[in-house]
Amino acid sequence: MNTKAVTDDQGEMQMLELLESRLRWLSSWTVHNANHIRPKRDGLKVGGHQASCSSMTAIMAALYFHALRPGDKVAVKPHAGPVLHAIHYLLGNQSREKLERFRALGGVQSYPSRTKDTIPVDFSTGSVGLGVAITAFSSLMQDYLIAHGQLEESEAGRMIALMGDAELDEGNIYECLIEAYKHDIRNCWWVVDYNRQSLDSTTADRMFRRFDDIFETCGWRVVTMKYGKRQMAAFRKPGGKTLEQWIENCPNADFAVLTYQGGAAWRERLLADIGSKPNVKKLLAGFDDDALADLMTNLGGHCVETLSEAFDACDDDRPTLFIAYTVKGFGLPLAGHKDNHSGMMNPTQIEGYRQSLGIDEGQEWEPYGGLGDNAAARLKAFVEDCALAKQSAEPEAAVIPVPARFAVPAGEEISTQAAFGKVLLDIAKSGEDIADRIVTTAPDVTQTTNLGAFVNQRGLFRRQEVADAFQQARIPSAQKWSAHGAGQHVELGIAENNFFLMLASMGLTAPHFGTRLLPVGTVYDPFIARGLDALNYGCYQDARFLLVGTPSGLTLGPEGGAHQSINTPLIGMGQPGLVYFEPAWADEVALMMRWAFEHMQQPDGSSVYLRLSTRSITQMARKNDGWEHDALQGGYWLQEPGPAAEAAIAFTGAIAPEVLEAYQKLADDVPGLGLLNVTSPDLLHREWSKCQADRWQSRSRPASHVEQLLAKLSPDARLVTVLDGSPSALSWLGAVRGMKVSPLGTDKFGQTGDLQDLYKSYRIDSDAIIDAMAETFLG
């Protein structure tokens, strides 16, 4: 036996145990300081989750300071955010000032955030289950980059999620699991903090046996860490097997109650249940009450040696679920209590905890306080020598050149959806660099959203080649979808949460892997709402992608109300990190797509959403390209108003033919009538709101674009606004200069019918526009 190696291993385990204690204290103190020491001006509870942190400290110590390798990425359980910040405090990446401002403006965020926290955060977490699932899709995108020669196999890291067991109740976890199985993902670890307590209750006893079945069926390895080393040593003693069997069968709720009650309660219950069994009484007599309580809670998730061995044993690329048994509130007076999720130690309890660790009063923030000089120096050196301390910052990805213009699809009549597909096909056929960096995805609507031609040209992505059986059999088909490692389309099943998480992982390849992709995802516009939580999650962490919602509105016609989107313009306007456009004509589509691919790459850029339609309309004859600048600012005059004009029609999107018809009928009766094409209600409203705020804050700013547009009208002019969507998306235009507005749009669930009937029924046809204009004058 190599005694030096054994000694080194023992030394490392000692350091990890000390680290676990440090992380538990610092995370607890951070929450305590925010709630009991820092002055409260509003009287509200600041909150935090001391119990949820303490159940994770051993797991995170073993992972971050033993198992992590270069290239690994971690999504940390939201409620364990203070532990992550404690880790970076020890590493020197986090300041005491920010810890003292936990959940205050400018301080540490409540949950790990890529965009709001200053420490390295691989994945934002917060919305339960999403931070778990995105790691699987990031594993898939890592495989995509490797297959495309944009990342070396040797640089592959593991995408790791640290999750609470209650997150396993989330349906999107299992949607993700199915999709991950289809795509044969690799290098993904999910580590479950199996403390068997959720916010409201203890979890069902029978479920842990089912998780093994579910994950193994989907090709995952399941590693269960139920017992710590001290427990396993006790099990080897006379009477130990009986004790092990008792723990194995103990209901979760009973285990929690006894943990909270402590050693004397453990002894009483064990003696009552199994004290008459051979050697049990003698075994228990070898532990005083404190030692017995310590033994009974020495679960696998609190034993850094058990955790380290389990992580080391999975040194391959197979996806793995680690189930680490833990106690919620471990090591704290809160341990085991069913109300401890949002509970926290009172001043007396935190004082007793501080004293038990030997930390002097006033030294609570000292990274290695209470350890003694020699132990502190050894632990500090251990931390500074770990792989995490040497990890480099996120790489800067090169900008992908975008051609000066995209060709406008030909045709006298064409829909914006068809135009989108043709622009993508032209790019796919080009020799431009951008063609190789576009990656597309859709939740089983690839054909019906006009991605099919791009996929025919560029192929489906699969790590293993899959031939098109119909093509091999010489059966004619518009879809010639061969699947191979060079493919650039990732086909998904019908699960919009997966779709948006996939887009988010695609949109994070630049900071994660140093290789930029330009993701394009298409979805039926009404079903954006199905994945809205995941869309918000992707935007919150500044993932960059082009989202295409199509077909939209009741312009779907015969497909009926279930497929007709109403409020998606408001989603586009209200979603931070997402710029919404709704083009009417093909040349607008080409212009906005080009702008989107540039904007997605800018430091201050964002994702982009195009709301498109299947309605083919006559294309607009342009005299020049002077309209383009204003169109990218959010709107332009299709027909500029005459001097001091008293009225204008403002419209968005596919309703353009009805608007033009109404305009022609009104032009003679309303002198100087203006016709405003609002290409982005989002950009117009956002800039106007910002200008308003800046003026209130005494910062001079020029008039916003919408103010400049509407300044061409008389101050008391009338506006009729119309779009195939919620009228609220445009009705606010009247507030810009105090004009009277008659807003038209759809605010009811639709029904089947042709466009003439539907437009008439829901009052967005030309007659309704004319009536609305008359109403503004007649009152």
Side-chain angles (χ1 to χ4, degrees):
M1 179 181 291
N2 186 332
T3 54
K4 182 180 185 303
V6 172
T7 303
D8 289 345
D9 289 345
Q10 290 173 342
E12 182 186 17
M13 291 307 113
Q14 290 172 356
M15 292 297 100
L16 290 176
E17 287 175 355
L18 287 175
L19 271 172
E20 187 277 330
S21 177
R22 290 290 87 206
L23 298 179
R24 186 159 19 108
W25 165 255
L26 286 169
S27 58
S28 296
W29 181 253
T30 297
V31 176
H32 178 81
N33 178 77
N35 287 276
H36 293 285
I37 298 176
R38 193 172 72 211
K40 292 190 184 75
R41 294 180 297 176
D42 53 16
L44 296 176
K45 173 185 173 182
V46 176
H49 299 85
Q50 291 172 330
S52 293
C53 287
S54 64
S55 64
M56 284 289 292
T57 48
I59 294 171
M60 294 179 71
L63 181 69
Y64 276 86
F65 295 97
H66 174 81
L68 279 193
R69 305 180 308 206
D72 291 352
K73 305 284 186 293
V74 186
V76 176
K77 183 181 82 167
H79 294 153
V83 182
L84 179 65
H85 289 279
I87 287 171
H88 284 284
Y89 185 56
L90 295 179
L91 289 165
N93 299 328
Q94 183 58 280
S95 68
R96 171 176 169 176
E97 177 188 10
K98 286 190 177 293
L99 288 180
E100 289 178 326
R101 296 187 61 76
F102 172 62
R103 295 194 173 195
L105 186 64
V108 166
Q109 298 298 297
S110 52
Y111 310 128
S113 170
R114 285 185 56 82
T115 56
K116 307 299 181 186
D117 281 317
T118 54
I119 64 167
V121 175
D122 298 323
F123 300 96
S124 298
T125 52
S127 189
V128 175
L130 298 183
V132 176
I134 195 173
T135 58
F137 295 112
S138 290
S139 299
L140 176 56
M141 290 320 300
Q142 181 175 247
D143 281 340
Y144 179 96
L145 295 174
I146 291 170
H148 284 75
Q150 294 163 353
L151 186 71
E152 294 295 326
E153 180 79 52
S154 60
E155 296 176 4
R158 296 167 297 204
M159 304 298 115
I160 303 169
L162 303 178
M163 62 193 293
D165 54 351
E167 289 190 85
L168 288 167
D169 290 343
E170 284 286 346
N172 78 273
I173 294 285
Y174 303 99
E175 291 180 350
C176 163
L177 197 60
I178 293 168
E179 201 64 59
Y181 178 72
K182 293 178 190 174
H183 289 279
D184 191 24
I185 67 158
R186 306 181 297 163
N187 296 306
C188 188
W189 283 5
W190 289 357
V191 185
V192 183
D193 170 16
Y194 198 59
N195 58 49
R196 292 149 291 157
Q197 284 184 252
S198 62
L199 192 154
D200 289 330
S201 63
T202 53
T203 57
D205 295 299
R206 62 200 298 254
M207 281 310 299
F208 77 95
R209 292 187 178 91
R210 299 283 70 80
F211 295 137
D212 294 39
D213 297 342
I214 294 167
F215 279 81
E216 287 173 354
T217 297
C218 289
W220 288 55
R221 169 175 50 213
V222 179
V223 177
T224 300
M225 296 166 282
K226 186 163 187 178
Y227 303 116
K229 293 294 184 179
R230 290 196 298 280
Q231 279 189 340
M232 289 189 281
F235 297 158
R236 291 191 291 269
K237 295 179 179 179
K241 285 295 180 184
T242 304
L243 178 62
E244 180 182 7
Q245 192 61 41
W246 184 92
I247 296 174
E248 188 71 27
N249 295 320
C250 181
N252 290 339
D254 288 6
F255 194 93
V257 167
L258 292 167
T259 297
Y260 182 72
Q261 290 177 323
W266 278 115
R267 189 180 306 279
E268 181 181 355
R269 175 66 177 271
L270 290 169
L271 287 173
D273 287 358
I274 57 174
S276 61
K277 302 288 185 179
N279 300 310
V280 170
K281 189 175 293 187
K282 182 179 179 182
L283 175 64
L284 298 180
F287 300 89
D288 63 22
D289 284 351
D290 288 342
L292 182 58
D294 178 69
L295 173 70
M296 297 303 291
T297 57
N298 176 234
L299 302 176
H302 297 305
C303 178
V304 292
E305 187 175 357
T306 298
L307 289 159
S308 298
E309 288 176 358
F311 293 151
D312 290 346
C314 299
D315 191 22
D316 53 31
D317 63 8
R318 185 177 176 186
T320 303
L321 178 75
F322 296 92
I323 301 176
Y325 276 70
T326 60
V327 170
K328 195 163 187 174
F330 177 75
L332 308 180
L334 311 168
H337 197 290
K338 70 173 184 176
D339 299 335
N340 65 13
H341 181 82
S342 296
M344 56 190 67
M345 289 179 279
N346 61 38
T348 301
Q349 290 172 323
I350 198 81
E351 174 65 13
Y353 184 33
R354 178 186 66 76
Q355 291 178 8
S356 73
L357 296 174
I359 298 171
D360 292 335
E361 190 172 0
Q363 300 298 304
E364 292 88 354
W365 291 109
E366 285 300 309
Y368 304 103
L371 291 180
D373 292 343
N374 290 337
R378 286 176 58 213
L379 187 56
K380 186 172 185 292
F382 178 78
V383 168
E384 291 174 349
D385 192 49
C386 74
L388 185 63
K390 301 168 185 175
Q391 197 163 14
S392 56
E394 287 188 338
E396 290 284 336
V399 171
I400 301 164
V402 180
R405 298 187 75 83
F406 288 166
V408 177
E412 290 185 11
E413 285 195 3
I414 189 173
S415 71
T416 51
Q417 176 179 302
F420 157 74
K422 289 184 177 182
V423 171
L424 262 190
L425 178 59
D426 285 346
I427 296 172
K429 290 180 176 179
S430 76
E432 303 281 355
D433 290 345
I434 189 175
D436 295 330
R437 295 306 181 107
I438 289 176
V439 55
T440 62
T441 188
D444 202 39
V445 290
T446 298
Q447 302 175 48
T448 50
T449 56
N450 276 68
L451 276 180
F454 179 88
V455 180
N456 282 348
Q457 191 71 26
R458 291 283 169 160
L460 289 168
F461 171 69
R462 287 286 189 278
R463 285 198 296 118
Q464 289 80 32
E465 187 166 347
V466 180
D468 185 332
F470 277 75
Q471 195 170 9
Q472 286 186 328
R474 300 180 183 273
I475 299 174
S477 171
Q479 281 71 48
K480 302 173 179 64
W481 292 0
S482 57
H484 46 78
Q488 290 178 232
H489 176 75
V490 180
E491 181 71 357
L492 299 174
I494 310 172
E496 280 74 15
N497 257 291
N498 282 343
F499 167 71
F500 283 114
L501 289 173
M502 173 61 82
L503 275 180
S505 63
M506 289 173 167
L508 288 172
T509 55
H512 277 172
F513 305 111
T515 299
R516 191 184 302 275
L517 296 176
L518 296 176
V520 179
T522 61
V523 63
Y524 270 30
D525 194 62
F527 304 143
I528 285 175
R530 283 186 184 173
L532 194 53
D533 191 16
L535 169 61
N536 183 67
Y537 172 70
C539 292
Y540 176 67
Q541 54 190 326
D542 199 25
R544 304 293 180 83
F545 48 81
L546 174 60
L547 167 64
V548 177
T550 181
S552 62
L554 57 82
T555 302
L556 277 163
E559 291 210 38
H563 280 189
Q564 295 170 356
S565 57
I566 296 173
N567 66 338
T568 46
L570 300 179
I571 291 173
M573 294 176 69
Q575 178 60 57
L578 187 71
V579 174
Y580 149 56
F581 284 100
E582 188 163 350
W585 292 287
D587 54 2
E588 294 176 353
V589 173
L591 180 74
M592 292 165 191
M593 286 179 68
R594 188 205 168 277
W595 182 90
F597 287 135
E598 277 204 336
H599 182 71
M600 287 156 58
Q601 302 184 71
Q602 300 303 313
D604 61 346
S606 71
S607 293
V608 180
Y609 161 38
L610 300 183
R611 187 174 188 251
L612 306 184
S613 174
T614 49
R615 185 189 190 193
S616 291
I617 64 174
T618 302
Q619 296 303 288
M620 181 60 56
R622 308 285 190 183
K623 295 179 181 178
N624 53 51
D625 59 9
W627 58 276
E628 294 182 348
H629 176 270
D630 281 4
L632 293 175
Q633 302 300 306
Y636 65 97
W637 286 110
L638 196 61
Q639 182 64 52
E640 193 160 313
E646 295 184 346
I649 302 171
F651 76 97
T652 291
I655 203 71
E658 282 64 36
V659 173
L660 291 171
E661 181 182 346
Y663 179 85
Q664 294 298 327
K665 292 178 179 179
L666 288 167
D668 291 340
D669 296 329
V670 184
L673 179 67
L675 184 56
L676 180 64
N677 182 4
V678 179
T679 53
S680 176
D682 178 28
L683 286 178
L684 288 187
H685 188 272
R686 191 180 307 179
E687 187 196 16
W688 176 60
S689 296
K690 187 176 188 309
C691 287
Q692 295 292 98
D694 286 347
R695 292 187 192 116
W696 279 108
Q697 295 170 16
S698 301
R699 293 198 295 266
S700 60
R701 276 184 62 89
S704 65
H705 182 56
V706 70
E707 288 172 307
Q708 294 177 49
L709 288 171
L710 296 181
K712 296 183 180 293
L713 297 169
S714 169
D716 60 350
R718 278 77 164 165
L719 287 176
V720 172
T721 63
V722 58
L723 78 162
D724 185 2
S726 172
S728 303
L730 294 179
S731 63
W732 61 272
L733 288 171
V736 175
R737 302 192 74 218
M739 298 174 179
K740 185 174 182 180
V741 176
S742 183
L744 302 178
T746 55
D747 56 8
K748 301 182 182 70
F749 292 112
Q751 55 189 302
T752 56
D754 62 20
L755 294 190
Q756 289 84 350
D757 284 343
L758 290 173
Y759 286 177
K760 183 177 181 64
S761 296
Y762 293 92
R763 302 202 71 247
I764 56 174
D765 64 351
S766 60
D767 288 343
I769 296 169
I770 293 169
D771 291 345
M773 183 62 72
E775 189 271 338
T776 64
F777 283 99
L778 299 176

